[in-house]
Amino acid sequence: MTQFENYILTVEMVYRYILVIYIITSWLPSVRESAVGEFLGKLSEPYLRPFRRIIPPLGGVLDISPIIALIALHYATVGLITVIELIGAAGK
């Protein structure tokens, strides 16, 4: 695995933590309205918004779109690394 691929995996891990922390703060309104919560929202909402448009809350209450978003993030990362490996193999 190249250094660039390790960088991509690190960025994915950091963003995954940001998303998970943001999701947890949704259960704590006082935290979400803080400066940290607003910052996490600015980083997370642009990515989560399309998933929320496509996947409605179950029973009107349970929002599973962040789970799907985390899964999609993982598969996008794996796909990107695979493409990079293929390009690297073709260049040899």
Side-chain angles (χ1 to χ4, degrees):
M1 190 168 292
T2 68
Q3 185 176 0
F4 187 66
E5 291 166 353
N6 284 332
Y7 175 75
I8 292 170
L9 288 172
T10 302
V11 169
E12 179 210 7
M13 182 183 66
V14 169
Y15 195 64
R16 183 177 295 274
Y17 284 132
I18 289 170
L19 290 173
V20 168
I21 293 168
Y22 181 69
I23 292 163
I24 291 170
T25 63
S26 70
W27 303 329
L28 308 165
S30 61
V31 176
R32 182 170 258 186
E33 294 170 4
S34 69
V36 173
E38 289 182 13
F39 177 71
L40 291 173
K42 288 180 183 178
L43 294 175
S44 302
E45 278 301 322
Y47 178 68
L48 293 173
R49 198 172 296 122
F51 292 96
R52 288 193 174 128
R53 284 189 198 131
I54 296 169
I55 306 163
L58 297 177
V61 186
L62 182 61
D63 185 13
I64 63 164
S65 60
I67 296 168
I68 305 301
L70 286 169
I71 293 168
L73 177 64
H74 174 71
Y75 281 114
T77 303
V78 170
L80 180 61
I81 290 172
T82 302
V83 168
I84 290 169
E85 288 174 350
L86 289 173
I87 291 172
K92 290 183 180 181

